[in-house]
Amino acid sequence: MEELRSYPPHETWHDAVSLDAKAWPRRVEQHHTLVPTTCFNCEAACGLVCHVNHDTGRIDRIEGNPLHPASRGRNCAKGPATLNQIDDHERILYPLKRAGQRGGGQWERVSWEDALTDIAGRIRTAITEGRHDEVMYHVGRPGEDGFAERVLKCWGVDGHNSHTNICSSNARVGYQSWMGHDRPSSDFANAEVIFLISSHLESGHYFNPHAQRIIEAQSQGATVICVDPRLSNTGSKADHWVPAWPGTEPFLLLAIARLLLLNDTWEQDFVRRWTNWEEYLRERHPGRPMSIDSVGPALLHDYAAYTPEEAERVCGVPATQIIEIARIIGAHPTKFASHNWRAAGAGNLGGWQTARCLFFLNVLTGSVGTVGGTTGNGWNKYKAPHPPGAPAFERWNELSWPREYPLAHHEMSILLPHFLAEGRGRLEVYFSRVYNPVWTNPDGFSWLEALLDPDKVACHVALTPTWSETATFADYVLPMGVGAERHDVASFETHAGRWIGFRQPVLRRYAEIRGESVNSQSRTHEFNPGEVWEENEFWMDLSWRIDADGSLGVRRWFESPNRPGTPMSVDEYYEAMFTAVPGLAADAEAAGQSPLDYMRDRGAYAIDGDTYLPYEREVDPDDLQDCRRDDSGVYRRAGTPGAWSGTTDDLAGLTLPALGDGSPAVEVDGTAREGFPTPSRKLELFSRTLADWGWPEYATPTWIPSHVHWEHLDLAGDERILLPTFRIPTLIHTRSANSKWLSELSHRHPLWIHPSDAEALGIEEGGLVRITTRIGHFVIGAWRTEGIRPGVVAASHHMGRWRLDPDGGGSWTGGDADISNDGTVWRLRRQGRPQRHASADDDTDRIWWNDTGVHQNLTFCVQPDPVSGMQCWHQRVRVGPAQPDDAYGDVVVDTAEARKAYQEWLAMTRPAPGPGGLRRPLWYSRPLKPAPAAYAL
């Protein structure tokens, strides 16, 4: 009898035999080919294996890939639900062109040839007429590393836009200001203390590979601390749940930091070697001796107000609990793993200081890049090199990178409708790709106003696998593949190790394995359902049409290296990428395969190398021949900006290398070491960048009171803090709408409210509640729970899907709705759904739920943090029982009030130019980085 296995052995994947469970008790064998790919339903890029049935040629089920070094064969519910997306009876299968008014629901099927020709012609005309800034690519979850950025660079267009300023910019700025890397990578598996400011899987960085390792560490004795005003699943499993007042988390962290200093449980020698403590003393304490022994007293002076007792008053956390947590952290030096992503960072004005103050604890405990500590994502993420592309261009698109936000970590995408309304520019071609700003972004009715105006947006192209609120207002809806129907590479910081994952079109690979006529020129859409394409081939074909005669210099970057005069194939593209991955070519050769075939068979590859203490690596003196060493010990490479502070006239002679390459080493205790990718090559306790760019008061870790700080609210009346950011781990933003399994699991959308608040405000159990924001109101049902801090209410942002066209998809989660407006006042009212009905999918007749939630984001004005540019999601609201004419799901918004709010937040900024007349610090990371000359304002 064969041994029971968790997964079929890899050597059987081309013909795996199993028993048909539905045939029991008869013994009926089934034959499957197992094809690996990568999940596309969150950014963790976990490994999947698709089981293709030999009898039907269809995918029967999708499970985890045991060969994936991050997910290790384990997936959350979103991975297997990829099958729902493939089989969705309402998915878009053919290119569609608007036939009537935008938003009118009238479409006609067109050929890919016609769509590509029209779109390419518009882009070519814009480029030849010098209107490069009128071409914009707006992406939500990219799911890939750099392909689209390479395309735009080859076009010479600074047109990349993203969702990051509604997601993670605050956390990124907080981490980058310390270590240059903009994301943390925590070695949870080996940690002894794990400190999470978020509910992690549900509302923060929702990585299944992280969750696995957190639970494993806890089972080995690690202490888990979860700071969240809502009792999440993570908080319920933590050793310490800390429901601090929203926005006070930095105060709590600085109180802990003060206790570490006061108790002398901090790693003074690490701070001496690897922080810019000298600059801190010069700037903040010039009267103290320039000695590491001055740092402790100086920091205690700076943070004297952050006592446990004051933290109890400000944060609402018992002083005894703060003292105990500080004792635990101090008892485990070098093994403190921490993480913040959305949650407190995303919610609050000054939320970027949450990450800055959290990482301060890593610095004080010496838990940076250590076993069980926290490092920068750049040391645990591998970005494979793409084939050569065009040189950097000298353009700067102020629709995405306005001068008011010189330190914004990513594009100011949330402000695009307001910029268009102000006449700052227009868009000839606007691509929305796996992104739904009308639903996802704040102030969605302002987005709708912009998309309805052809003078602002001439041609909107929605690249999407499924219908969405934004696709409804497109001119073209072009069907793109889901995670088992496309090529991409991805890598993320999941643990102390580096890896690369490969997403591939499963049925194309299946046909190849079965010996069908598949070659390097075969197109993905030949194997996908209908005429579903993948973006890679779309961008290649579109680029070829933009520059059909080669006169623009675009076409050559997409030309086959093996067949001159013809477009590059995806096989040629990824063969070039994988050949350059360290160790992959040799391992593939040993297996008798090409690097591409090796990845098609396995789906992921672990890259060898020790990722611990990367900053301690000694740098070969031969690599510093073209560098000069400055007074701070930093080696700076000639011809690169480094900590450049010249004039704009000098920019033309500079090259802008990858982050940190311009200063490859720093001398520490007499040895040149790799250090960190910051101007000082050290961890920056004092941020010269923040000081020089107009924010000297925030140059060291500090607390910035939030725009929803509890002391500024009328809590004795009906004012409360609304948390709209928390996620549900079984949903996928917009893409959940065509996943029946996930919709059945998670479809309710109640307002979390503490019983004491419900009693004080007259909210009945399960009763309707009107939530009034700065620009409107929405009506939602109440759920009384002691799992929320009094004074705070919460509603998940995943719910509230709606559709104007009953035939426009969304059987599982889409509520039919009417939208009307009277001038600037917009109203949305639900008209029912989902409900049982007959369709091509028998399961629509089994729908037993009827709640689709409320589109609360429509009622939120834009609130960009003036430093990071991040949307500050938390809302100061009035909470009360629904009024007589209210109905569940009602939304009312005045876009004129939204405009006033935008102007008020814009006035809080400190615009460029910065030092040397620049738009932005040269060393800051930026998608699609232009040439240095473009930084001159």
PDB file of all heavy atoms in Angstrom, residues 292-307:
ATOM      1  N   ILE A 292      29.425  58.500  22.455  1.00  0.00           N
ATOM      2  CA  ILE A 292      28.272  57.617  22.478  1.00  0.00           C
ATOM      3  C   ILE A 292      27.625  57.619  23.855  1.00  0.00           C
ATOM      4  O   ILE A 292      26.424  57.399  23.994  1.00  0.00           O
ATOM      5  CB  ILE A 292      28.666  56.175  22.052  1.00  0.00           C
ATOM      6  CG1 ILE A 292      27.417  55.279  21.914  1.00  0.00           C
ATOM      7  CG2 ILE A 292      29.654  55.586  23.034  1.00  0.00           C
ATOM      8  CD1 ILE A 292      26.436  55.715  20.874  1.00  0.00           C
ATOM      9  N   ASP A 293      28.424  57.909  24.905  1.00  0.00           N
ATOM     10  CA  ASP A 293      27.864  57.958  26.250  1.00  0.00           C
ATOM     11  C   ASP A 293      26.884  59.116  26.430  1.00  0.00           C
ATOM     12  O   ASP A 293      26.120  59.138  27.390  1.00  0.00           O
ATOM     13  CB  ASP A 293      28.989  58.078  27.285  1.00  0.00           C
ATOM     14  CG  ASP A 293      29.828  56.817  27.357  1.00  0.00           C
ATOM     15  OD1 ASP A 293      29.298  55.730  27.055  1.00  0.00           O
ATOM     16  OD2 ASP A 293      31.028  56.922  27.703  1.00  0.00           O
ATOM     17  N   SER A 294      26.886  60.069  25.507  1.00  0.00           N
ATOM     18  CA  SER A 294      25.945  61.192  25.576  1.00  0.00           C
ATOM     19  C   SER A 294      24.590  60.844  24.981  1.00  0.00           C
ATOM     20  O   SER A 294      23.602  61.545  25.211  1.00  0.00           O
ATOM     21  CB  SER A 294      26.518  62.403  24.834  1.00  0.00           C
ATOM     22  OG  SER A 294      27.707  62.870  25.416  1.00  0.00           O
ATOM     23  N   VAL A 295      24.553  59.779  24.179  1.00  0.00           N
ATOM     24  CA  VAL A 295      23.339  59.500  23.432  1.00  0.00           C
ATOM     25  C   VAL A 295      22.192  59.096  24.346  1.00  0.00           C
ATOM     26  O   VAL A 295      21.054  59.573  24.189  1.00  0.00           O
ATOM     27  CB  VAL A 295      23.606  58.413  22.367  1.00  0.00           C
ATOM     28  CG1 VAL A 295      22.307  57.984  21.691  1.00  0.00           C
ATOM     29  CG2 VAL A 295      24.591  58.923  21.338  1.00  0.00           C
ATOM     30  N   GLY A 296      22.452  58.189  25.298  1.00  0.00           N
ATOM     31  CA  GLY A 296      21.397  57.752  26.206  1.00  0.00           C
ATOM     32  C   GLY A 296      20.776  58.914  26.960  1.00  0.00           C
ATOM     33  O   GLY A 296      19.543  59.095  26.923  1.00  0.00           O
ATOM     34  N   PRO A 297      21.578  59.736  27.648  1.00  0.00           N
ATOM     35  CA  PRO A 297      21.001  60.893  28.347  1.00  0.00           C
ATOM     36  C   PRO A 297      20.292  61.863  27.408  1.00  0.00           C
ATOM     37  O   PRO A 297      19.258  62.443  27.775  1.00  0.00           O
ATOM     38  CB  PRO A 297      22.226  61.543  28.998  1.00  0.00           C
ATOM     39  CG  PRO A 297      23.200  60.421  29.174  1.00  0.00           C
ATOM     40  CD  PRO A 297      22.996  59.538  27.984  1.00  0.00           C
ATOM     41  N   ALA A 298      20.824  62.043  26.198  1.00  0.00           N
ATOM     42  CA  ALA A 298      20.178  62.954  25.247  1.00  0.00           C
ATOM     43  C   ALA A 298      18.796  62.431  24.854  1.00  0.00           C
ATOM     44  O   ALA A 298      17.812  63.191  24.795  1.00  0.00           O
ATOM     45  CB  ALA A 298      21.053  63.121  24.009  1.00  0.00           C
ATOM     46  N   LEU A 299      18.703  61.139  24.572  1.00  0.00           N
ATOM     47  CA  LEU A 299      17.415  60.564  24.200  1.00  0.00           C
ATOM     48  C   LEU A 299      16.434  60.603  25.373  1.00  0.00           C
ATOM     49  O   LEU A 299      15.243  60.886  25.187  1.00  0.00           O
ATOM     50  CB  LEU A 299      17.602  59.127  23.725  1.00  0.00           C
ATOM     51  CG  LEU A 299      18.304  58.956  22.372  1.00  0.00           C
ATOM     52  CD1 LEU A 299      18.617  57.481  22.111  1.00  0.00           C
ATOM     53  CD2 LEU A 299      17.454  59.517  21.241  1.00  0.00           C
ATOM     54  N   LEU A 300      16.912  60.335  26.584  1.00  0.00           N
ATOM     55  CA  LEU A 300      16.034  60.412  27.752  1.00  0.00           C
ATOM     56  C   LEU A 300      15.520  61.837  27.950  1.00  0.00           C
ATOM     57  O   LEU A 300      14.365  62.041  28.353  1.00  0.00           O
ATOM     58  CB  LEU A 300      16.770  59.933  28.997  1.00  0.00           C
ATOM     59  CG  LEU A 300      16.932  58.411  29.112  1.00  0.00           C
ATOM     60  CD1 LEU A 300      17.873  58.054  30.263  1.00  0.00           C
ATOM     61  CD2 LEU A 300      15.575  57.735  29.303  1.00  0.00           C
ATOM     62  N   HIS A 301      16.343  62.815  27.636  1.00  0.00           N
ATOM     63  CA  HIS A 301      15.904  64.210  27.704  1.00  0.00           C
ATOM     64  C   HIS A 301      14.808  64.465  26.667  1.00  0.00           C
ATOM     65  O   HIS A 301      13.776  65.069  26.968  1.00  0.00           O
ATOM     66  CB  HIS A 301      17.098  65.141  27.469  1.00  0.00           C
ATOM     67  CG  HIS A 301      16.718  66.586  27.387  1.00  0.00           C
ATOM     68  ND1 HIS A 301      16.338  67.189  26.202  1.00  0.00           N
ATOM     69  CD2 HIS A 301      16.650  67.558  28.352  1.00  0.00           C
ATOM     70  CE1 HIS A 301      16.050  68.456  26.426  1.00  0.00           C
ATOM     71  NE2 HIS A 301      16.243  68.700  27.720  1.00  0.00           N
ATOM     72  N   ASP A 302      15.044  63.994  25.427  1.00  0.00           N
ATOM     73  CA  ASP A 302      14.081  64.250  24.356  1.00  0.00           C
ATOM     74  C   ASP A 302      12.742  63.578  24.612  1.00  0.00           C
ATOM     75  O   ASP A 302      11.696  64.102  24.205  1.00  0.00           O
ATOM     76  CB  ASP A 302      14.643  63.758  23.010  1.00  0.00           C
ATOM     77  CG  ASP A 302      15.774  64.633  22.502  1.00  0.00           C
ATOM     78  OD1 ASP A 302      16.030  65.697  23.100  1.00  0.00           O
ATOM     79  OD2 ASP A 302      16.402  64.237  21.505  1.00  0.00           O
ATOM     80  N   TYR A 303      12.771  62.407  25.256  1.00  0.00           N
ATOM     81  CA  TYR A 303      11.549  61.631  25.434  1.00  0.00           C
ATOM     82  C   TYR A 303      11.091  61.599  26.894  1.00  0.00           C
ATOM     83  O   TYR A 303      10.381  60.676  27.309  1.00  0.00           O
ATOM     84  CB  TYR A 303      11.759  60.218  24.893  1.00  0.00           C
ATOM     85  CG  TYR A 303      12.077  60.223  23.407  1.00  0.00           C
ATOM     86  CD1 TYR A 303      13.299  59.770  22.935  1.00  0.00           C
ATOM     87  CD2 TYR A 303      11.153  60.726  22.488  1.00  0.00           C
ATOM     88  CE1 TYR A 303      13.598  59.806  21.574  1.00  0.00           C
ATOM     89  CE2 TYR A 303      11.449  60.764  21.139  1.00  0.00           C
ATOM     90  CZ  TYR A 303      12.669  60.305  20.680  1.00  0.00           C
ATOM     91  OH  TYR A 303      12.955  60.356  19.347  1.00  0.00           O
ATOM     92  N   ALA A 304      11.455  62.632  27.631  1.00  0.00           N
ATOM     93  CA  ALA A 304      11.118  62.671  29.054  1.00  0.00           C
ATOM     94  C   ALA A 304       9.605  62.668  29.285  1.00  0.00           C
ATOM     95  O   ALA A 304       9.119  62.157  30.299  1.00  0.00           O
ATOM     96  CB  ALA A 304      11.739  63.913  29.698  1.00  0.00           C
ATOM     97  N   ALA A 305       8.849  63.233  28.346  1.00  0.00           N
ATOM     98  CA  ALA A 305       7.398  63.329  28.534  1.00  0.00           C
ATOM     99  C   ALA A 305       6.687  62.006  28.289  1.00  0.00           C
ATOM    100  O   ALA A 305       5.503  61.867  28.649  1.00  0.00           O
ATOM    101  CB  ALA A 305       6.827  64.404  27.609  1.00  0.00           C
ATOM    102  N   TYR A 306       7.388  61.028  27.715  1.00  0.00           N
ATOM    103  CA  TYR A 306       6.734  59.783  27.316  1.00  0.00           C
ATOM    104  C   TYR A 306       6.807  58.745  28.440  1.00  0.00           C
ATOM    105  O   TYR A 306       7.348  57.656  28.284  1.00  0.00           O
ATOM    106  CB  TYR A 306       7.367  59.248  26.044  1.00  0.00           C
ATOM    107  CG  TYR A 306       7.128  60.124  24.834  1.00  0.00           C
ATOM    108  CD1 TYR A 306       7.967  61.192  24.546  1.00  0.00           C
ATOM    109  CD2 TYR A 306       6.050  59.891  23.986  1.00  0.00           C
ATOM    110  CE1 TYR A 306       7.753  62.009  23.439  1.00  0.00           C
ATOM    111  CE2 TYR A 306       5.819  60.697  22.877  1.00  0.00           C
ATOM    112  CZ  TYR A 306       6.667  61.761  22.612  1.00  0.00           C
ATOM    113  OH  TYR A 306       6.447  62.563  21.529  1.00  0.00           O
ATOM    114  N   THR A 307       6.243  59.086  29.569  1.00  0.00           N
ATOM    115  CA  THR A 307       6.246  58.177  30.712  1.00  0.00           C
ATOM    116  C   THR A 307       5.115  57.149  30.559  1.00  0.00           C
ATOM    117  O   THR A 307       4.143  57.374  29.827  1.00  0.00           O
ATOM    118  CB  THR A 307       6.026  58.949  32.015  1.00  0.00           C
ATOM    119  OG1 THR A 307       4.727  59.556  31.976  1.00  0.00           O
ATOM    120  CG2 THR A 307       7.093  60.041  32.182  1.00  0.00           C
TER     121      THR A 307
END
